[in-house]
Amino acid sequence: MTTVGIDLISFYTPQYFLDLKTLAEKRGVDFNKFYTGLGQEKMAIPPPDEDIVTMAASAARPILDQTDPSEIELLLFGTESGVDQSKAAAMFAHGLLKLPTRCRGFEVKEACYAGTAALQLAIPWALRNPGKKALILASDIARYDLNSPGEPTQGAGAIAMLVGVNPRIMAIEPESGLYASDVMDFWRPNYRDEAVVDGKYSMRVYIAALEEAWRQYHALSGRGLADMARFCYHLPFTKMAEKAHVRLAKTAGVANLSPEDMEHQMGESLHYNRITGNTYAASLYEGLCSLLDNCTKDLAGKRVALFSYGSGCMGEFFSGILQADYRKHLYSAAHKNLLDNRTELTYQQYEDVFQLGCPTDGGDHTFAQYRTGVYRMKGISQHKRLYEALT
Ligand code: CAA
């Protein structure tokens, strides 16, 4: 039987971070509120010459280094942090990655669900185009107002996934539980750089979406919790996923999960988010990378449950089967190297970067060079973003 799903998956996050102990001290709160209460320790901060396009291209580079670009005929870019009202971030990335002109590219939006929307769009396309590949990019910068409850959950990062038939990493199964509802839990009007959020309400809607999506998935597939080897959740902050998992277990009839059960079922998927913060559209797949990179057990042939949530809102519960030899095709060493070699910012440096903003006068602006991935934004001229490759 032909399988379809994630053939390769690569993660990128900026090379600067703020420790939430630094933020807690400045805001006059106990750092345990962030470290334990939210389950977050660090948040990634993109330097002024990095944006969703450069992050996504940097995530994709290792995949392109081992893929014939002419195979890629679909390029989907999921993001909440679009850089242009008209031109898709996919087209900027298409240029940076030197993809062929025979390619269909566009941007996909539904808050943090956009990466999953792109993946699920690519699956029937890949089945219809078995010799071809889709490249899915999901990239976001999570920004809330300074000194707001959402501030410690900020972050940044990108995922690139190659999707095709007979995938090397994970075959996506056909059953999905879906939950769509028109709600205002988190949103970002076009005139704002920072999200507006009704935090506690957003947590309740996340849980409601999970419960309904799970019920549908269970009814369609006949599977229960015991059929899942691991669980990956959308990760606005890691404690949210832990709360979600406890609720899911109750809904599925498991009254008490021990701390050991929790750690076993989802612990490995939380490591990266805890030290990058929310990566919105990328976060579920950042969690998947974290699981695959950090799980010492070979999970080949095992099922991983995936719950995607985008405010506004859209939830989806689905699953995938890890493929034989999937561990040979991971970028675990590159991810470790990236995360272990970041530069810590002071509070003032964080606030300076936060306040910088992007020039909007249409003049010529050249950006100083910071530590970035292999792509950077070198400036803006005549309202055009100018990118460059560093290698
Ligand atoms: N030591 C240990 N824990 C502490 C503590 C301390 N000293 N002080 C507080 N805590 C605990 C609290 O008890 C609480 O835990 P519980 O929820 O388990 O009770 C936790 O720390 C957080 O404290 P508060 O509830 O008081 O925090 P808050 O109200 O200031 O902010 C928040 C929390 C509402 C989630 C806020 O961070 C926020 O608005 N975040 C952005 C929105 C968000 O992420 N929503 C998630 C669902 S929506 C979604 O998933 C889409 C998306 O990506 C945005």
Side-chain angles (χ1 to χ4, degrees):
M1 196 186 79
T2 305
T3 56
V4 61
I6 303 169
D7 190 44
L8 292 172
I9 181 166
S10 162
F11 172 64
Y12 176 81
T13 189
Q15 299 180 34
Y16 298 90
F17 72 89
L18 184 73
D19 196 302
L20 292 184
K21 282 186 182 166
T22 308
L23 185 67
E25 192 182 343
K26 186 72 187 176
R27 299 289 176 245
V29 301
D30 178 355
F31 76 86
N32 286 311
K33 175 175 177 182
F34 301 158
Y35 268 50
T36 311
L38 296 175
Q40 295 303 110
E41 294 179 10
K42 295 170 182 168
M43 55 192 199
I45 311 288
D49 58 342
E50 197 154 58
D51 68 3
I52 54 155
V53 173
T54 64
M55 291 195 301
S58 292
R61 190 66 257 160
I63 292 178
L64 266 294
D65 287 345
Q66 57 179 116
T67 306
D68 175 358
S70 70
E71 288 181 10
I72 298 173
E73 287 196 3
L74 182 63
L75 176 66
L76 301 182
F77 199 124
T79 187
E80 180 272 2
S81 337
V83 295
D84 193 283
Q85 297 281 24
S86 175
K87 179 169 171 170
M91 304 326 298
F92 290 108
H94 181 277
L96 273 181
L97 295 170
K98 297 190 169 31
L99 294 179
T101 53
R102 182 173 167 73
C103 183
R104 182 180 286 133
F106 55 97
E107 195 169 306
V108 180
K109 180 167 72 178
E110 179 14 51
C112 311
Y113 174 73
T116 300
L119 174 62
Q120 293 290 13
L121 281 175
I123 284 174
W125 177 91
L127 285 169
R128 195 169 159 182
N129 296 273
K132 300 295 175 185
K133 297 278 197 285
L135 181 63
I136 308 298
L137 304 174
S139 181
D140 265 316
I141 298 170
R143 268 176 78 95
Y144 297 90
D145 286 323
L146 291 178
N147 212 352
S148 69
E151 185 184 30
T153 69
Q154 294 176 119
I159 278 286
M161 293 185 277
L162 202 63
V163 172
V165 294
N166 303 320
R168 285 170 279 186
I169 305 285
M170 177 185 266
I172 300 294
E173 296 184 293
E175 300 87 0
S176 271
L178 301 171
Y179 180 87
S181 178
D182 177 7
V183 294
M184 297 301 278
D185 60 329
F186 161 108
W187 65 104
R188 190 165 67 79
N190 285 347
Y191 49 81
R192 280 182 63 96
D193 288 334
E194 290 78 35
V196 188
V197 62
D198 186 341
K200 301 287 184 202
Y201 177 55
S202 72
M203 295 172 70
R204 289 198 299 276
V205 184
Y206 179 120
I207 296 285
L210 170 65
E211 288 182 314
E212 174 57 23
W214 161 258
R215 282 192 198 100
Q216 282 178 28
Y217 173 87
H218 171 63
L220 287 168
S221 68
R223 296 180 200 118
L225 290 198
D227 295 304
M228 315 291 169
R230 296 289 188 279
F231 294 79
C232 292
Y233 289 87
H234 167 57
L235 295 168
F237 50 94
T238 63
K239 197 61 177 287
M240 180 75 234
E242 290 175 355
K243 285 175 186 286
H245 193 57
V246 170
R247 180 60 72 92
L248 176 68
K250 280 203 178 105
T251 305
V254 181
N256 284 312
L257 281 179
S258 68
E260 293 73 27
D261 290 338
M262 289 286 290
E263 180 55 31
H264 174 75
Q265 292 172 13
M266 62 181 310
E268 295 123 338
S269 70
L270 307 181
H271 295 333
Y272 291 173
N273 180 271
R274 202 189 305 281
I275 56 171
T276 66
N278 197 349
T279 57
Y280 289 164
S283 95
L284 170 62
Y285 304 96
E286 173 186 4
L288 178 60
C289 279
S290 180
L291 164 65
L292 301 181
D293 291 349
N294 292 293
C295 183
T296 49
K297 195 164 174 254
D298 186 356
L299 296 176
K302 304 279 189 206
R303 178 174 291 110
V304 176
L306 300 152
F307 176 65
S308 183
Y309 177 74
S311 289
C313 78
M314 188 63 226
E316 178 162 352
F317 195 103
F318 61 113
S319 56
I321 305 288
L322 289 166
Q323 301 298 286
D325 293 334
Y326 75 92
R327 296 208 283 189
K328 288 188 186 153
H329 305 291
L330 301 175
Y331 299 105
S332 311
H335 296 157
K336 181 170 170 28
N337 187 42
L338 175 65
L339 289 164
D340 286 353
N341 291 293
R342 298 184 296 165
T343 302
E344 181 171 357
L345 299 185
T346 62
Y347 175 81
Q348 197 52 53
Q349 287 170 324
Y350 151 66
E351 190 170 330
D352 288 349
V353 171
F354 186 96
Q355 302 285 15
L356 209 58
C358 210
T360 55
D361 61 6
D364 290 340
H365 300 273
T366 304
F367 298 155
Q369 186 163 348
Y370 294 82
R371 292 184 67 200
T372 62
V374 285
Y375 300 100
R376 66 181 291 271
M377 184 163 66
K378 64 181 179 184
I380 291 194
S381 174
Q382 312 289 309
H383 295 293
K384 293 175 192 157
R385 295 169 97 87
L386 307 173
Y387 294 103
E388 67 179 349
L390 298 175
T391 52

